[in-house]
Amino acid sequence: MKHFVTLISLLSSAAMVAQTAPGFSITGRIPGLKAGSKIELINTESQSRVESTAADGSFEIKGSVDMPSLFELRFTNPEKLTDIKALQFMVENLPIQVSATHLDSLPLYVSTGNLFGGNYECFSIKAGEAQKEYMEYLETIRPYEKASYDASYNMFMDEKRDTSPEGQKRLEEVYNKAFGEHADAVRKFQEDHAAYHFCTGMWTNELYTPFAHTEAEIQEIWNKVKTNNSPARLDAVRKAMEYARKYVKGKDYTDFALLDTEGNRHNMSEYIGKGKYVLIDFWASWCVPCRAAIPIVREIYKKYSDKVDIYAISIDQDEKAWRQAMEQEKMEWNQRYAPDEMFQAVVEPYSIKGIPHMVLIDPQGKIAFVGHNALLLTSVLDNI
């Protein structure tokens, strides 16, 4: 479902176009917001965005949404482009007021979905019921979020931290406990308030994780969220369910052709069903995240080689670059090559949207895991 918004700056000399359908109006006055500051309004689900510039301390945004959704409002200082402040809140078709004691009180933008700091007592969002639900979520999760941040700081950034093996072990235990409790708190709120607009959005996003849900789990998610009062939101859930059923957990793997290091053609089926799990790692020499994940793959190779065979499949168009990268990285596990025509044949069956893209296939030829996070994969391997 496409979400459309229109942003109108107070500085705009263009006439305001009358809306033919109910919409939202976001108004705000924030001391410290300089004239000419760039304003961006981003739908965190669809990533659609619009941009404009602010008046001195004030702004106005008009538009419409087809369902209550989480948006991010960013303010960029024209004199310091790396200084970006941001707020997240639920937008629905009604008047919304944003206020703050000063721009400096707002959280610092790090990346979409990740805001740092900010004084929550110094700004407010007056909106509708969806925002009240979201604020309930934030107030519930905030203590866990702070604990996980503190644990991360103490473990990685505190210059006075205990760097002895015993000290690092203690910090790691606190770190793992804090992040585990944070994740558990988010999941509990999501379970307990599944029909809240924000929570239904989270469930929808989860359904777009390929090969992560069984048919029973897909139906269970629907049973949780079906009392949500937005027809458009429920339509979005149904669309996500269709995707999840196409890439259902435990689906049989799809065979494909590839080349070995000698240029000989093989089928992936030659390596599956031999009594071990098979890990397929699609990567490329030019892919920075792929290269960064290689040390983790190496640890997987060392730790799990008795039950997992690894096949790194390069999608490089430049075969020389692939071979050079193999040499540089000293990759001891199985290396294969999939030129463009071979790679394109597996993009749709394995829902490949980027690399690294890792596929774990069990000894029976069923897909057990798909994702790009090698660290998450290790937790899956610990349980097989």
Side-chain angles (χ1 to χ4, degrees):
M1 183 72 67
K2 182 178 179 181
H3 311 303
F4 176 75
V5 294
T6 303
L7 185 148
I8 303 174
S9 168
L10 285 182
L11 297 183
S12 174
S13 59
M16 294 172 58
V17 179
Q19 293 171 289
T20 59
F24 63 78
S25 173
I26 303 174
T27 57
R29 175 167 290 280
I30 301 177
L33 180 62
K34 297 181 178 180
S37 294
K38 183 172 75 171
I39 298 179
E40 295 175 279
L41 183 68
I42 302 101
N43 187 314
T44 64
E45 294 181 49
S46 68
Q47 296 304 307
S48 62
R49 69 180 62 201
V50 285
E51 298 181 7
S52 189
T53 53
D56 188 10
S58 64
F59 61 91
E60 181 179 15
I61 304 168
K62 288 181 179 288
S64 64
V65 291
D66 53 11
M67 59 186 175
S69 301
L70 183 66
F71 277 71
E72 192 167 274
L73 186 63
R74 300 180 197 161
F75 307 94
T76 303
N77 185 338
E79 298 173 1
K80 189 178 180 182
L81 298 180
T82 57
D83 183 14
I84 304 175
K85 299 291 187 174
L87 290 170
Q88 289 183 344
F89 51 90
M90 296 295 292
V91 172
E92 51 190 312
N93 291 322
L94 45 72
I96 298 172
Q97 293 182 341
V98 178
S99 62
T101 55
H102 196 275
L103 187 66
D104 291 341
S105 66
L106 304 187
L108 180 68
Y109 166 77
V110 181
S111 62
T112 298
N114 293 283
L115 307 182
F116 174 76
N119 188 335
Y120 289 92
E121 297 180 355
C122 294
F123 57 85
S124 68
I125 311 292
K126 294 183 179 180
E129 193 62 31
Q131 175 63 13
K132 292 178 182 177
E133 296 171 353
Y134 182 57
M135 287 303 299
E136 182 183 346
Y137 165 79
L138 292 179
E139 289 165 3
T140 301
I141 299 304
R142 198 165 288 146
Y144 301 96
E145 190 173 61
K146 183 180 185 306
S148 61
Y149 168 77
D150 289 344
S152 178
Y153 176 85
N154 293 337
M155 183 172 176
F156 298 109
M157 294 177 282
D158 185 2
E159 294 180 356
K160 298 180 180 179
R161 67 185 181 275
D162 185 349
T163 57
S164 69
E166 297 80 9
Q168 285 296 291
K169 183 178 180 181
R170 286 193 297 270
L171 291 172
E172 184 175 356
E173 288 173 352
V174 173
Y175 174 88
N176 290 336
K177 182 175 183 290
F179 274 81
E181 291 178 348
H182 185 189
D184 290 344
V186 171
R187 173 59 75 181
K188 185 178 187 305
F189 191 94
Q190 188 178 346
E191 293 273 0
D192 293 346
H193 305 86
Y196 279 14
H197 292 291
F198 174 69
C199 294
T200 304
M202 288 197 289
W203 285 116
T204 306
N205 289 339
E206 285 192 20
L207 287 168
Y208 280 109
T209 302
F211 308 106
H213 302 91
T214 64
E215 175 59 40
E217 289 168 343
I218 295 169
Q219 186 59 44
E220 184 180 354
I221 289 175
W222 172 253
N223 292 338
K224 293 177 188 294
V225 306
K226 64 183 180 182
T227 56
N228 182 283
N229 62 14
S230 167
R233 172 61 69 188
L234 294 181
D235 283 345
V237 176
R238 292 187 187 97
K239 183 178 179 181
M241 290 170 66
E242 290 177 9
Y243 175 90
R245 288 186 170 120
K246 183 177 180 180
Y247 298 106
V248 70
K249 185 177 181 179
K251 183 178 181 179
D252 290 335
Y253 82 97
T254 297
D255 200 10
F256 59 96
L258 66 165
L259 304 177
D260 64 20
T261 55
E262 303 300 320
N264 300 311
R265 185 184 178 96
H266 298 269
N267 287 328
M268 198 66 220
S269 55
E270 296 177 32
Y271 315 121
I272 296 172
K274 308 297 184 183
K276 285 187 175 184
Y277 281 77
V278 172
L279 172 59
I280 304 170
D281 177 16
F282 292 99
W283 74 292
S285 64
W286 44 262
C287 170
V288 174
C290 299
R291 302 287 286 261
I294 288 175
I296 304 173
V297 177
R298 180 173 289 107
E299 290 302 311
I300 292 173
Y301 173 72
K302 292 178 180 178
K303 186 176 180 180
Y304 303 101
S305 59
D306 61 326
K307 55 184 177 182
V308 180
D309 286 332
I310 303 177
Y311 290 86
I313 301 177
S314 168
I315 66 168
D316 277 285
Q317 294 305 296
D318 184 345
E319 184 177 344
K320 183 178 179 181
W322 164 53
R323 294 184 181 279
Q324 184 178 13
M326 276 196 298
E327 178 66 24
Q328 292 171 341
E329 299 290 354
K330 299 184 177 9
M331 300 162 75
E332 305 167 60
W333 47 99
N334 301 297
Q335 302 297 314
R336 297 293 184 267
Y337 182 51
D340 187 58
E341 68 278 5
M342 291 182 176
F343 176 63
Q344 291 304 319
V346 298
V347 168
E348 194 274 337
Y350 289 105
S351 188
I352 302 176
K353 298 180 176 64
I355 54 174
H357 188 85
M358 299 178 181
V359 181
L360 184 67
I361 300 172
D362 72 15
Q364 290 71 48
K366 306 289 186 182
I367 297 175
F369 171 87
V370 170
H372 65 273
N373 190 326
L375 286 173
L376 182 59
L377 175 61
T378 59
S379 65
V380 174
L381 293 172
D382 282 336
N383 294 310
I384 65 173

